[in-house]
Amino acid sequence: GDSVTQMEGPVTLSEEAFLTINCTYTATGYPSLFWYVQYPGEGLQLLLKATKADDKGSNKGFEATYRKETTSFHLEKGSVQVSDSAVYFCALSGGANSKLTFGKGITLSVRP
Amino acid sequence: NAGVTQTPKFQVLKTGQSMTLQCAQDMNHNSMYWYRQDPGMGLRLIYYSASEGTTDKGEVPNGYNVSRLNKREFSLRLESAAPSQTSVYFCASSEYSGGITGELFFGEGSRLTVL
Protein backbone atom coordinates (compact mmCIF):
# COMPACT_ATOMS: atom_id res chain seq x y z
CA GLY A 1 0.00 0.00 0.00
CA ASP A 2 0.89 3.67 -0.06
CA SER A 3 3.37 4.93 2.50
CA VAL A 4 5.33 8.04 3.38
CA THR A 5 8.70 8.08 5.13
CA GLN A 6 10.03 11.21 6.78
CA MET A 7 13.46 11.79 8.22
CA GLU A 8 13.85 11.28 11.96
CA GLY A 9 13.58 14.28 14.20
CA PRO A 10 13.48 16.54 16.04
CA VAL A 11 15.37 19.23 14.17
CA THR A 12 16.76 22.32 15.90
CA LEU A 13 18.11 25.24 13.87
CA SER A 14 19.21 28.78 14.48
CA GLU A 15 17.24 31.61 12.94
CA GLU A 16 18.17 32.29 9.27
CA ALA A 17 19.58 28.78 8.79
CA PHE A 18 18.75 26.70 5.72
CA LEU A 19 16.15 23.99 6.20
CA THR A 20 15.74 20.66 4.46
CA ILE A 21 13.25 18.04 5.63
CA ASN A 22 13.38 14.80 3.68
CA CYS A 23 10.32 12.91 2.53
CA THR A 24 10.15 9.81 0.34
CA TYR A 25 7.10 7.86 -0.69
CA THR A 26 5.89 4.54 -2.01
CA ALA A 27 2.77 4.50 -4.15
CA THR A 28 1.32 2.90 -7.23
CA GLY A 29 0.39 5.17 -10.06
CA TYR A 30 0.82 8.91 -9.86
CA PRO A 31 0.05 10.28 -6.41
CA SER A 32 -0.35 13.89 -5.38
CA LEU A 33 2.04 15.06 -2.66
CA PHE A 34 1.53 17.50 0.19
CA TRP A 35 3.21 19.16 3.13
CA TYR A 36 1.07 20.02 6.13
CA VAL A 37 2.18 22.11 9.12
CA GLN A 38 0.92 21.99 12.70
CA TYR A 39 1.70 25.02 14.87
CA PRO A 40 1.65 24.54 18.66
CA GLY A 41 -1.84 23.98 19.99
CA GLU A 42 -3.47 23.98 16.56
CA GLY A 43 -4.73 21.55 13.97
CA LEU A 44 -2.87 20.78 10.76
CA GLN A 45 -3.05 23.12 7.79
CA LEU A 46 -1.95 22.66 4.21
CA LEU A 47 1.41 24.30 3.51
CA LEU A 48 1.97 23.35 -0.13
CA LYS A 49 1.22 20.67 -2.68
CA ALA A 50 2.27 19.22 -6.05
CA THR A 51 0.03 17.10 -8.20
CA LYS A 52 2.38 15.80 -10.90
CA ALA A 53 6.03 14.98 -11.48
CA ASP A 54 8.44 17.96 -11.62
CA ASP A 55 5.84 20.31 -10.14
CA LYS A 56 7.15 22.66 -7.47
CA GLY A 57 4.86 23.65 -4.63
CA SER A 58 5.65 26.83 -2.72
CA ASN A 59 4.19 28.90 0.10
CA LYS A 60 5.51 31.20 2.87
CA GLY A 61 9.08 30.80 1.59
CA PHE A 62 8.90 26.99 1.67
CA GLU A 63 9.38 24.93 -1.49
CA ALA A 64 9.18 21.26 -2.44
CA THR A 65 9.65 19.60 -5.83
CA TYR A 66 7.89 16.38 -6.86
CA ARG A 67 10.71 14.05 -7.98
CA LYS A 68 9.28 10.90 -9.50
CA GLU A 69 12.69 9.40 -10.31
CA THR A 70 13.72 9.46 -6.64
CA THR A 71 10.16 9.21 -5.23
CA SER A 72 10.86 12.24 -3.06
CA PHE A 73 9.23 15.50 -2.02
CA HIS A 74 11.78 17.23 0.22
CA LEU A 75 10.77 20.47 1.96
CA GLU A 76 13.22 23.39 1.86
CA LYS A 77 13.41 26.96 3.12
CA GLY A 78 16.33 29.26 2.61
CA SER A 79 16.12 31.16 5.91
CA VAL A 80 13.98 29.89 8.77
CA GLN A 81 12.36 32.09 11.39
CA VAL A 82 11.36 31.41 14.98
CA SER A 83 7.75 31.49 13.81
CA ASP A 84 8.44 28.41 11.62
CA SER A 85 8.73 26.26 14.75
CA ALA A 86 6.09 23.58 14.24
CA VAL A 87 5.51 19.96 13.32
CA TYR A 88 5.74 19.21 9.58
CA PHE A 89 3.94 16.30 7.94
CA CYS A 90 4.50 14.92 4.46
CA ALA A 91 1.45 13.25 2.90
CA LEU A 92 0.26 11.67 -0.32
CA SER A 93 -3.02 10.97 -2.04
CA GLY A 94 -3.26 8.10 -4.46
CA GLY A 95 -5.84 9.78 -6.65
CA ALA A 96 -9.56 10.35 -6.92
CA ASN A 97 -11.52 9.03 -3.95
CA SER A 98 -8.40 7.95 -2.08
CA LYS A 99 -7.52 9.08 1.42
CA LEU A 100 -4.48 10.99 2.52
CA THR A 101 -1.60 8.94 3.91
CA PHE A 102 0.55 10.91 6.37
CA GLY A 103 4.14 10.50 7.42
CA LYS A 104 4.99 10.46 11.12
CA GLY A 105 5.82 14.15 11.24
CA ILE A 106 8.95 15.97 12.33
CA THR A 107 9.27 18.69 14.94
CA LEU A 108 11.23 21.78 13.94
CA SER A 109 12.47 24.18 16.61
CA VAL A 110 14.09 27.45 15.54
CA ARG A 111 16.22 29.33 18.09
CA PRO A 112 16.57 33.12 18.01
CA ASN B 1 -14.57 31.97 10.25
CA ALA B 2 -15.41 28.94 12.43
CA GLY B 3 -14.23 26.25 9.98
CA VAL B 4 -14.10 22.92 11.85
CA THR B 5 -15.17 22.99 15.48
CA GLN B 6 -14.53 20.14 17.90
CA THR B 7 -15.83 19.65 21.42
CA PRO B 8 -14.68 19.04 24.04
CA LYS B 9 -11.07 20.24 23.84
CA PHE B 10 -10.00 18.25 26.88
CA GLN B 11 -11.49 15.19 28.57
CA VAL B 12 -10.37 12.75 31.25
CA LEU B 13 -12.14 9.40 31.44
CA LYS B 14 -11.84 6.31 33.56
CA THR B 15 -11.40 2.94 31.89
CA GLY B 16 -14.76 1.61 30.75
CA GLN B 17 -16.52 4.96 30.55
CA SER B 18 -18.09 6.13 27.32
CA MET B 19 -18.02 9.49 25.61
CA THR B 20 -18.72 11.20 22.31
CA LEU B 21 -16.51 13.71 20.54
CA GLN B 22 -18.50 16.19 18.49
CA CYS B 23 -17.39 17.80 15.25
CA ALA B 24 -19.11 20.36 13.05
CA GLN B 25 -17.99 22.17 9.89
CA ASP B 26 -19.52 25.22 8.28
CA MET B 27 -17.83 25.02 4.86
CA ASN B 28 -20.48 22.83 3.20
CA HIS B 29 -17.89 20.09 2.72
CA ASN B 30 -18.95 16.65 1.59
CA SER B 31 -16.30 14.56 3.37
CA MET B 32 -15.37 14.38 7.04
CA TYR B 33 -12.71 12.44 8.93
CA TRP B 34 -11.57 11.45 12.39
CA TYR B 35 -7.84 11.02 13.05
CA ARG B 36 -5.84 10.26 16.13
CA GLN B 37 -2.35 11.64 16.71
CA ASP B 38 0.13 9.78 18.89
CA PRO B 39 3.83 10.50 19.49
CA GLY B 40 6.00 8.76 16.89
CA MET B 41 2.94 7.49 15.00
CA GLY B 42 1.85 10.56 13.09
CA LEU B 43 -1.80 10.79 12.13
CA ARG B 44 -3.86 7.65 11.72
CA LEU B 45 -7.32 7.60 10.19
CA ILE B 46 -10.01 6.14 12.44
CA TYR B 47 -13.17 6.58 10.36
CA TYR B 48 -14.28 8.76 7.53
CA SER B 49 -17.47 9.79 5.80
CA ALA B 50 -17.09 10.43 2.08
CA SER B 51 -20.54 11.98 1.88
CA GLU B 52 -23.63 12.46 3.98
CA GLY B 53 -25.17 9.10 4.79
CA THR B 54 -21.99 7.04 4.39
CA THR B 55 -19.23 6.04 6.81
CA ASP B 56 -16.21 3.77 6.37
CA LYS B 57 -13.46 2.35 8.50
CA GLY B 58 -9.98 3.77 8.34
CA GLU B 59 -6.70 2.37 9.56
CA VAL B 60 -7.53 2.04 13.29
CA PRO B 61 -11.33 1.72 13.79
CA ASN B 62 -11.42 -0.79 16.66
CA GLY B 63 -13.05 0.57 19.81
CA TYR B 64 -14.76 3.46 18.01
CA ASN B 65 -18.07 4.19 16.31
CA VAL B 66 -19.12 7.17 14.26
CA SER B 67 -22.28 8.91 13.16
CA ARG B 68 -22.66 11.31 10.27
CA LEU B 69 -25.61 13.16 11.72
CA ASN B 70 -26.06 15.49 8.73
CA LYS B 71 -23.78 17.20 6.25
CA ARG B 72 -22.31 19.46 8.95
CA GLU B 73 -21.77 17.06 11.84
CA PHE B 74 -19.68 13.93 12.35
CA SER B 75 -19.35 12.44 15.83
CA LEU B 76 -16.91 9.88 17.23
CA ARG B 77 -18.00 7.62 20.10
CA LEU B 78 -15.91 5.57 22.48
CA GLU B 79 -18.23 2.95 23.96
CA SER B 80 -15.84 1.60 26.60
CA ALA B 81 -12.70 3.69 26.86
CA ALA B 82 -9.31 2.02 27.30
CA PRO B 83 -5.93 3.56 28.24
CA SER B 84 -4.72 2.78 24.68
CA GLN B 85 -7.22 5.36 23.46
CA THR B 86 -5.38 8.16 25.24
CA SER B 87 -4.54 10.44 22.34
CA VAL B 88 -5.23 13.71 20.60
CA TYR B 89 -8.18 13.42 18.23
CA PHE B 90 -8.61 15.58 15.17
CA CYS B 91 -11.67 16.04 13.05
CA ALA B 92 -11.16 17.21 9.47
CA SER B 93 -13.27 17.97 6.44
CA SER B 94 -12.75 18.33 2.71
CA GLU B 95 -14.84 19.30 -0.26
CA TYR B 96 -14.21 15.96 -1.89
CA SER B 97 -13.04 12.62 -0.62
CA GLY B 98 -9.24 13.12 -0.65
CA GLY B 99 -8.41 12.93 -4.29
CA ILE B 100 -5.92 15.11 -6.04
CA THR B 101 -6.78 18.31 -4.21
CA GLY B 102 -5.79 16.80 -0.90
CA GLU B 103 -6.72 19.82 1.18
CA LEU B 104 -8.17 18.82 4.50
CA PHE B 105 -9.32 21.43 7.00
CA PHE B 106 -8.62 20.42 10.59
CA GLY B 107 -10.16 21.29 13.91
CA GLU B 108 -7.97 22.29 16.86
CA GLY B 109 -8.02 18.83 18.38
CA SER B 110 -9.46 17.11 21.45
CA ARG B 111 -7.03 15.78 24.05
CA LEU B 112 -8.40 12.64 25.67
CA THR B 113 -6.82 10.91 28.65
CA VAL B 114 -8.08 7.52 29.80
CA LEU B 115 -6.98 6.49 33.28
Side-chain angles (χ1 to χ4, degrees), chain A residues 22-79:
Chain A
N22 290 342
C23 172
T24 58
Y25 68 89
T26 301
T28 55
Y30 303 95
S32 295
L33 301 172
F34 311 90
W35 278 100
Y36 276 78
V37 59
Q38 182 182 27
Y39 297 106
E42 299 183 10
L44 282 72
Q45 56 186 274
L46 181 64
L47 179 60
L48 54 83
K49 66 181 181 184
T51 57
K52 60 183 188 294
D54 299 325
D55 268 2
K56 177 185 285 187
S58 61
N59 187 23
K60 299 182 180 180
F62 291 89
E63 293 183 341
T65 301
Y66 187 161
R67 301 286 188 200
K68 192 172 189 302
E69 63 276 13
T70 55
T71 62
S72 65
F73 193 54
H74 304 323
L75 183 68
E76 297 182 335
K77 187 174 186 182
S79 177

Coordinates of all heavy atoms in Angstrom, one line a residue, chain A residues 22-79:
Chain A
N22 N 13.5 15.8 4.7 CA 13.4 14.8 3.7 C 12.1 14.0 3.8 O 11.6 13.7 4.9 CB 14.5 13.8 3.8 CG 15.8 14.4 3.4 OD1 15.9 15.4 2.7 ND2 16.9 13.8 3.8
C23 N 11.5 13.7 2.6 CA 10.3 12.9 2.5 C 10.4 12.0 1.3 O 10.7 12.5 0.2 CB 9.1 13.8 2.4 SG 7.5 12.9 2.1
T24 N 10.2 10.7 1.5 CA 10.1 9.8 0.3 C 8.8 9.1 0.4 O 8.2 8.9 1.5 CB 11.3 8.8 0.3 OG1 11.4 8.1 1.5 CG2 12.6 9.5 0.1
Y25 N 8.4 8.5 -0.7 CA 7.1 7.9 -0.7 C 7.1 6.6 -1.5 O 8.0 6.4 -2.3 CB 6.0 8.8 -1.3 CG 6.2 9.1 -2.7 CD1 5.6 8.3 -3.7 CD2 7.0 10.2 -3.2 CE1 5.8 8.6 -5.1 CE2 7.1 10.5 -4.5 CZ 6.6 9.6 -5.4 OH 6.7 9.9 -6.8
T26 N 6.2 5.7 -1.2 CA 5.9 4.5 -2.0 C 4.4 4.6 -2.4 O 3.6 4.7 -1.5 CB 6.2 3.3 -1.2 OG1 7.5 3.3 -0.8 CG2 5.9 2.0 -2.0
A27 N 4.2 4.5 -3.7 CA 2.8 4.5 -4.1 C 2.7 3.9 -5.5 O 3.7 3.9 -6.3 CB 2.2 5.9 -4.2
T28 N 1.6 3.3 -5.9 CA 1.3 2.9 -7.2 C 0.7 4.1 -8.0 O 0.1 4.9 -7.4 CB 0.4 1.7 -7.3 OG1 -0.8 2.1 -6.6 CG2 1.0 0.5 -6.6
G29 N 1.0 4.1 -9.3 CA 0.4 5.2 -10.1 C 1.1 6.5 -9.8 O 2.3 6.6 -9.6
Y30 N 0.3 7.6 -9.9 CA 0.8 8.9 -9.9 C 0.1 9.7 -8.7 O -0.8 10.4 -9.0 CB 0.6 9.6 -11.2 CG 1.2 8.8 -12.3 CD1 0.5 7.9 -13.1 CD2 2.6 8.9 -12.6 CE1 1.0 7.1 -14.1 CE2 3.2 8.2 -13.6 CZ 2.4 7.3 -14.4 OH 3.0 6.5 -15.4
P31 N 0.7 9.6 -7.5 CA 0.1 10.3 -6.4 C 0.2 11.8 -6.4 O 1.1 12.3 -7.2 CB 0.8 9.7 -5.2 CG 2.1 9.4 -5.7 CD 1.9 8.9 -7.1
S32 N -0.6 12.5 -5.7 CA -0.4 13.9 -5.4 C 0.4 14.0 -4.0 O 0.1 13.1 -3.2 CB -1.7 14.6 -5.3 OG -2.3 14.7 -6.6
L33 N 1.2 15.0 -3.9 CA 2.0 15.1 -2.7 C 1.8 16.4 -1.9 O 1.6 17.4 -2.6 CB 3.5 14.9 -3.0 CG 3.9 13.6 -3.7 CD1 5.3 13.7 -4.2 CD2 3.7 12.4 -2.8
F34 N 1.9 16.3 -0.6 CA 1.5 17.5 0.2 C 2.5 17.6 1.4 O 3.0 16.7 1.9 CB 0.1 17.3 0.8 CG -0.9 16.9 -0.3 CD1 -1.1 15.6 -0.5 CD2 -1.6 17.9 -1.0 CE1 -2.1 15.2 -1.5 CE2 -2.5 17.5 -1.9 CZ -2.7 16.2 -2.2
W35 N 2.6 18.9 1.8 CA 3.2 19.2 3.1 C 2.2 19.9 4.0 O 1.6 20.9 3.5 CB 4.5 20.0 3.0 CG 5.7 19.2 2.7 CD1 6.3 19.1 1.5 CD2 6.5 18.4 3.6 NE1 7.4 18.2 1.6 CE2 7.5 17.8 2.9 CE3 6.4 18.2 5.0 CZ2 8.5 17.0 3.5 CZ3 7.3 17.4 5.6 CH2 8.4 16.8 4.9
Y36 N 1.9 19.4 5.2 CA 1.1 20.0 6.1 C 1.9 20.5 7.3 O 3.0 19.9 7.6 CB 0.0 19.0 6.7 CG -1.2 18.9 5.8 CD1 -1.2 18.1 4.6 CD2 -2.4 19.6 6.1 CE1 -2.3 18.0 3.8 CE2 -3.5 19.4 5.3 CZ -3.5 18.7 4.2 OH -4.6 18.6 3.4
V37 N 1.5 21.6 8.0 CA 2.2 22.1 9.1 C 1.2 22.2 10.3 O 0.0 22.5 10.1 CB 2.8 23.5 8.8 CG1 1.8 24.5 8.4 CG2 3.6 24.0 10.0
Q38 N 1.7 21.9 11.5 CA 0.9 22.0 12.7 C 1.7 22.9 13.7 O 2.7 22.5 14.2 CB 0.7 20.6 13.3 CG -0.2 20.6 14.6 CD -0.3 19.2 15.2 OE1 0.6 18.4 15.0 NE2 -1.4 19.0 15.9
Y39 N 1.1 24.1 13.9 CA 1.7 25.0 14.9 C 1.2 24.6 16.3 O 0.2 24.0 16.4 CB 1.3 26.5 14.6 CG 1.8 26.9 13.2 CD1 1.0 27.1 12.1 CD2 3.2 27.2 13.0 CE1 1.5 27.5 10.9 CE2 3.7 27.6 11.8 CZ 2.8 27.7 10.7 OH 3.3 28.1 9.5
P40 N 2.0 25.0 17.3 CA 1.6 24.5 18.7 C 0.2 24.8 19.0 O -0.3 26.0 18.9 CB 2.6 25.3 19.5 CG 3.8 25.6 18.6 CD 3.2 25.8 17.2
G41 N -0.5 23.8 19.5 CA -1.8 24.0 20.0 C -2.9 24.1 18.9 O -4.1 24.4 19.2
E42 N -2.5 23.8 17.7 CA -3.5 24.0 16.6 C -3.6 22.7 15.8 O -2.8 21.7 16.0 CB -3.0 25.1 15.6 CG -2.9 26.4 16.3 CD -2.5 27.5 15.3 OE1 -2.5 27.3 14.0 OE2 -2.3 28.7 15.7
G43 N -4.6 22.7 14.9 CA -4.7 21.5 14.0 C -3.8 21.7 12.8 O -3.1 22.7 12.7
L44 N -3.7 20.7 11.9 CA -2.9 20.8 10.8 C -3.5 21.7 9.7 O -4.7 21.9 9.6 CB -2.7 19.4 10.1 CG -1.8 18.4 10.8 CD1 -2.3 17.9 12.1 CD2 -1.5 17.3 9.8
Q45 N -2.6 22.3 8.9 CA -3.1 23.1 7.8 C -2.1 22.9 6.6 O -0.9 22.6 6.8 CB -3.1 24.6 8.1 CG -1.8 25.2 8.6 CD -2.0 26.6 9.1 OE1 -1.9 27.6 8.3 NE2 -2.2 26.8 10.4
L46 N -2.7 22.9 5.4 CA -1.9 22.7 4.2 C -0.9 23.8 4.0 O -1.2 24.9 4.0 CB -2.9 22.6 3.0 CG -2.2 22.3 1.7 CD1 -1.6 20.9 1.7 CD2 -3.3 22.4 0.5
L47 N 0.3 23.3 3.8 CA 1.4 24.3 3.5 C 1.7 24.4 2.0 O 1.7 25.5 1.5 CB 2.7 23.8 4.2 CG 3.9 24.7 4.0 CD1 3.7 26.1 4.6 CD2 5.1 24.1 4.7
L48 N 1.8 23.3 1.3 CA 2.0 23.4 -0.1 C 1.7 22.0 -0.7 O 1.6 21.0 0.0 CB 3.4 23.8 -0.5 CG 4.6 23.1 0.1 CD1 4.9 21.8 -0.7 CD2 5.8 24.0 0.1
K49 N 1.5 21.9 -2.0 CA 1.2 20.7 -2.7 C 1.8 20.6 -4.1 O 2.1 21.7 -4.7 CB -0.3 20.4 -2.7 CG -1.0 21.4 -3.6 CD -2.5 21.1 -3.6 CE -3.3 22.1 -4.5 NZ -4.8 21.9 -4.4
A50 N 1.9 19.4 -4.7 CA 2.3 19.2 -6.0 C 1.5 18.0 -6.6 O 1.4 17.0 -5.9 CB 3.8 19.0 -6.2
T51 N 0.9 18.1 -7.7 CA 0.0 17.1 -8.2 C 0.6 16.3 -9.3 O 0.0 15.2 -9.7 CB -1.3 17.7 -8.7 OG1 -1.1 18.7 -9.7 CG2 -2.0 18.3 -7.5
K52 N 1.8 16.6 -9.9 CA 2.4 15.8 -10.9 C 3.9 16.0 -10.9 O 4.4 16.9 -10.3 CB 1.8 16.1 -12.3 CG 2.1 17.5 -12.8 CD 1.4 17.7 -14.1 CE 1.7 19.0 -14.8 NZ 1.2 20.2 -14.0
A53 N 4.6 15.0 -11.5 CA 6.0 15.0 -11.5 C 6.6 16.3 -12.0 O 6.1 16.9 -12.9 CB 6.5 13.8 -12.3
D54 N 7.7 16.7 -11.3 CA 8.4 18.0 -11.6 C 7.7 19.2 -11.2 O 8.3 20.3 -11.3 CB 8.8 18.0 -13.1 CG 9.7 16.9 -13.5 OD1 10.5 16.4 -12.7 OD2 9.5 16.4 -14.7
D55 N 6.5 19.1 -10.7 CA 5.8 20.3 -10.1 C 6.6 20.8 -8.9 O 7.1 20.0 -8.1 CB 4.4 20.0 -9.7 CG 3.4 20.2 -10.8 OD1 3.8 20.6 -11.9 OD2 2.2 20.0 -10.6
K56 N 6.6 22.1 -8.7 CA 7.1 22.7 -7.5 C 6.0 23.4 -6.7 O 5.4 24.3 -7.3 CB 8.3 23.6 -7.8 CG 8.8 24.3 -6.5 CD 9.9 25.4 -6.9 CE 11.2 24.8 -7.3 NZ 12.3 25.8 -7.4
G57 N 5.8 23.0 -5.5 CA 4.9 23.7 -4.6 C 5.6 24.7 -3.8 O 6.8 24.5 -3.4
S58 N 5.0 25.8 -3.5 CA 5.7 26.8 -2.7 C 4.6 27.6 -1.9 O 3.5 27.9 -2.4 CB 6.5 27.8 -3.6 OG 5.7 28.4 -4.5
N59 N 5.1 28.1 -0.8 CA 4.2 28.9 0.1 C 5.0 29.4 1.3 O 5.8 28.6 1.9 CB 3.0 28.1 0.6 CG 2.0 28.9 1.3 OD1 1.9 30.1 1.2 ND2 1.2 28.3 2.2
K60 N 4.9 30.6 1.7 CA 5.5 31.2 2.9 C 7.0 31.0 2.9 O 7.6 30.9 3.9 CB 4.9 30.6 4.1 CG 3.4 30.8 4.3 CD 3.0 30.2 5.6 CE 1.5 30.4 5.8 NZ 1.0 29.8 7.1
G61 N 7.6 31.0 1.7 CA 9.1 30.8 1.6 C 9.5 29.4 1.5 O 10.7 29.1 1.3
F62 N 8.6 28.4 1.8 CA 8.9 27.0 1.7 C 8.7 26.5 0.2 O 7.8 27.0 -0.5 CB 8.0 26.2 2.6 CG 8.2 26.4 4.1 CD1 7.6 27.4 4.8 CD2 9.1 25.5 4.7 CE1 7.8 27.6 6.1 CE2 9.3 25.7 6.1 CZ 8.7 26.7 6.8
E63 N 9.5 25.5 -0.2 CA 9.4 24.9 -1.5 C 9.6 23.4 -1.4 O 10.3 22.9 -0.5 CB 10.4 25.5 -2.4 CG 10.3 26.9 -2.8 CD 11.3 27.4 -3.8 OE1 12.4 26.6 -3.9 OE2 11.1 28.4 -4.5
A64 N 8.9 22.7 -2.3 CA 9.2 21.3 -2.4 C 8.9 20.9 -3.9 O 7.9 21.3 -4.5 CB 8.3 20.5 -1.5
T65 N 9.8 20.0 -4.4 CA 9.7 19.6 -5.8 C 9.3 18.1 -5.9 O 10.0 17.3 -5.2 CB 10.9 19.9 -6.6 OG1 11.2 21.3 -6.6 CG2 10.8 19.5 -8.1
Y66 N 8.3 17.8 -6.7 CA 7.9 16.4 -6.9 C 8.9 15.7 -7.8 O 8.9 15.9 -9.0 CB 6.5 16.4 -7.5 CG 5.7 15.2 -7.6 CD1 4.4 15.2 -7.8 CD2 6.3 13.9 -7.7 CE1 3.6 14.1 -8.0 CE2 5.6 12.8 -7.8 CZ 4.2 12.8 -8.0 OH 3.5 11.7 -8.1
R67 N 9.7 14.8 -7.2 CA 10.7 14.1 -8.0 C 10.3 12.6 -8.1 O 10.4 11.8 -7.2 CB 12.1 14.1 -7.3 CG 12.6 15.5 -7.0 CD 13.1 16.1 -8.3 NE 13.8 17.4 -8.0 CZ 14.0 18.3 -8.9 NH1 13.6 18.2 -10.1 NH2 14.7 19.4 -8.5
K68 N 9.8 12.3 -9.3 CA 9.3 10.9 -9.5 C 10.4 9.9 -9.6 O 10.3 8.8 -9.1 CB 8.4 10.8 -10.8 CG 7.7 9.5 -10.9 CD 6.7 9.6 -12.1 CE 5.8 8.4 -12.1 NZ 6.5 7.2 -12.2
E69 N 11.6 10.3 -10.1 CA 12.7 9.4 -10.3 C 13.3 9.0 -9.0 O 13.8 7.8 -8.9 CB 13.8 10.0 -11.2 CG 14.4 11.3 -10.7 CD 13.6 12.5 -10.9 OE1 12.5 12.5 -11.3 OE2 14.2 13.6 -10.7
T70 N 13.2 9.8 -8.0 CA 13.7 9.5 -6.6 C 12.6 9.3 -5.6 O 12.9 9.1 -4.4 CB 14.7 10.6 -6.1 OG1 14.0 11.8 -6.1 CG2 15.9 10.6 -7.0
T71 N 11.4 9.3 -6.1 CA 10.2 9.2 -5.2 C 10.3 10.1 -4.0 O 10.2 9.6 -2.8 CB 9.8 7.7 -4.9 OG1 10.9 7.2 -4.1 CG2 9.5 6.9 -6.1
S72 N 10.6 11.3 -4.2 CA 10.9 12.2 -3.1 C 10.1 13.5 -3.2 O 9.7 13.9 -4.3 CB 12.4 12.5 -2.9 OG 12.8 13.2 -4.1
F73 N 9.9 14.2 -2.1 CA 9.2 15.5 -2.0 C 9.8 16.3 -0.8 O 9.1 16.5 0.2 CB 7.7 15.3 -1.9 CG 6.9 16.5 -2.1 CD1 7.0 17.2 -3.3 CD2 5.9 16.9 -1.2 CE1 6.2 18.3 -3.5 CE2 5.1 18.0 -1.4 CZ 5.2 18.7 -2.6
H74 N 11.1 16.6 -0.9 CA 11.8 17.2 0.2 C 11.3 18.7 0.4 O 11.2 19.4 -0.6 CB 13.3 17.2 0.0 CG 13.8 15.8 -0.2 ND1 13.3 14.7 0.4 CD2 14.8 15.3 -1.0 CE1 14.0 13.6 0.0 NE2 14.9 14.0 -0.9
L75 N 11.2 19.1 1.6 CA 10.8 20.5 2.0 C 12.0 21.3 2.2 O 12.9 20.9 3.0 CB 9.9 20.5 3.2 CG 9.3 21.8 3.6 CD1 8.3 22.3 2.6 CD2 8.6 21.7 5.0
E76 N 12.1 22.5 1.7 CA 13.2 23.4 1.9 C 12.8 24.8 2.1 O 11.7 25.3 1.7 CB 14.1 23.4 0.6 CG 14.7 22.1 0.3 CD 15.7 22.1 -0.9 OE1 15.5 23.0 -1.7 OE2 16.6 21.3 -1.0
K77 N 13.6 25.5 2.9 CA 13.4 27.0 3.1 C 14.8 27.6 3.3 O 15.6 27.0 4.0 CB 12.5 27.3 4.3 CG 12.2 28.7 4.4 CD 11.2 29.0 5.5 CE 10.8 30.5 5.5 NZ 9.9 30.9 6.6
G78 N 15.0 28.7 2.6 CA 16.3 29.3 2.6 C 16.7 29.9 3.9 O 17.9 29.9 4.3
S79 N 15.8 30.4 4.7 CA 16.1 31.2 5.9 C 14.9 31.0 6.9 O 13.9 31.7 6.7 CB 16.4 32.6 5.6 OG 16.6 33.4 6.8

